[in-house]
């Protein structure tokens, strides 16, 4: 039986795993900033956790989920130059 506490622990663990996976991308040429990784971790879990965070597919998935991404994630992506204000306004 799931309790609210066990659900919260599972969610926290999922976020930690997502941030850890996204953080592993730091060495790649397409590395995301730590701010983006942290700001978008919940969005990754919600929309794209079926994709390897080190894979190319995760960027497309996050792009496709764009209209549903949290404001914090979108702001971090904008600040990091991962998306333009024009692209955001088009959605």
């Amino acid at each position: 039986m799931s309790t609210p506490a066990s659900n919260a622990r599972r969610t926290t663990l999922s976020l930690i795993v997502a941030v850890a996976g996204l953080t592993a991308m730091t060495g790649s040429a397409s590395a995301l900033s730590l701010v983006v990784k942290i700001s978008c971790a919940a969005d990754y879990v919600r929309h794209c956790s079926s994709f390897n965070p080190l894979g190319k597919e995760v960027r497309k998935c996050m792009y496709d989920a764009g209209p549903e991404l949290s404001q914090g994630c979108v702001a971090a992506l904008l600040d990091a130059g991962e998306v333009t204000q024009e692209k955001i306004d088009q959605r």
Side-chain angles (χ1 to χ4, degrees):
M1 174 180 263
S2 292
T3 65
S6 68
N7 288 339
R9 280 191 292 271
R10 229 173 290 138
T11 300
T12 301
L13 180 58
S14 294
L15 289 173
I16 290 169
V17 168
V19 170
L22 292 172
T23 301
M25 292 176 66
T26 302
S28 72
S30 61
L32 298 173
S33 73
L34 183 58
V35 171
V36 169
K37 293 171 194 169
I38 291 169
S39 299
C40 296
D43 295 283
Y44 165 77
V45 170
R46 185 176 303 111
H47 302 290
C48 303
S49 61
S50 63
F51 296 99
N52 179 341
L54 301 178
K56 295 175 185 175
E57 301 88 6
V58 76
R59 280 186 182 260
K60 180 176 179 346
C61 178
M62 292 293 278
Y63 179 81
D64 291 346
E68 298 176 27
L69 296 178
S70 66
Q71 289 181 348
C73 178
V74 172
L77 291 168
L78 181 62
D79 289 346
E82 291 289 325
V83 67
T84 64
Q85 186 64 52
E86 181 182 9
K87 287 285 185 188
I88 293 169
D89 293 342
Q90 289 174 357
R91 294 181 170 233

